[in-house]
Amino acid sequence: MDKTQTIAALAALAQPTRLQTFRLLVAREPDGVAAGELARLVGVPQNTMSAHLSILANAGLVRGDRQSRSIIYRSDLDRFREVTLYLIRDCCGGNAELCAPLIKELTPCCLPDEAANAN
């Protein structure tokens, strides 16, 4: 991941409908959501959703897979991880104790169910 790719991803997310759409797709992993259903859930016309999905796809944040007559969209969690890591790679100048609160907040969402329930 380089600076240009990161800027493209952040720019794609810097719009309320696209941010809402991306968050919805992340929440619906791994199943994804059909394009028409996304438009309904977000409350925008289908052609508007199509334009937003195109921007997100061009930034590498979502991908669409044709299933019969529908296109099912999914977030690209690998790309999301790359963007996030690019932003925090040099976190706190190597002072791990400064990054500890950030890591602690991120960890519960990423633990397997049994470990998350133990907290």
Side-chain angles (χ1 to χ4, degrees), residues 13 15-25 41-43:
L13 294 172
Q15 195 280 340
T17 302
R18 289 193 294 272
L19 180 60
Q20 180 182 5
T21 300
F22 182 73
R23 288 176 52 103
L24 194 152
L25 288 171
L41 291 169
V42 175

Side-chain angles (χ1 to χ4, degrees), residues 1-13 22 26 29 55-63 74-87 89:
M1 170 94 5
D2 65 22
K3 180 171 55 173
T4 302
Q5 294 169 321
T6 302
I7 290 169
L10 293 173
L13 294 172
F22 182 73
V26 169
E29 277 298 316
I55 291 167
L56 290 167
N58 287 337
L61 294 169
V62 303
R63 64 187 183 287
R74 292 177 180 82
S75 59
D76 188 328
L77 295 178
D78 288 335
R79 177 64 131 206
F80 180 55
R81 180 182 44 77
E82 290 172 3
V83 170
T84 304
L85 288 174
Y86 181 88
L87 292 172
R89 177 149 286 126

Side-chain angles (χ1 to χ4, degrees), residues 45-115:
Q46 287 189 11
N47 62 336
T48 300
M49 179 53 70
S50 178
H52 287 306
L53 288 168
S54 177
I55 291 167
L56 290 167
N58 287 337
L61 294 169
V62 303
R63 64 187 183 287
D65 299 310
R66 182 164 291 284
Q67 290 185 359
S68 185
R69 294 178 7 173
S70 295
I71 299 177
I72 306 299
Y73 282 88
R74 292 177 180 82
S75 59
D76 188 328
L77 295 178
D78 288 335
R79 177 64 131 206
F80 180 55
R81 180 182 44 77
E82 290 172 3
V83 170
T84 304
L85 288 174
Y86 181 88
L87 292 172
I88 64 171
R89 177 149 286 126
D90 301 318
C91 179
C92 310
N95 297 316
E97 67 278 358
L98 296 175
C99 290
L102 171 65
I103 293 167
K104 184 176 180 181
E105 280 196 52
L106 291 174
T107 303
C109 80
C110 303
L111 291 174
D113 288 340
E114 7 1 293

Side-chain angles (χ1 to χ4, degrees), residues 33-41 44 46 49 71:
V33 181
E37 179 68 2
L38 273 173
R40 187 189 70 73
L41 291 169
V44 298
Q46 287 189 11
M49 179 53 70
I71 299 177

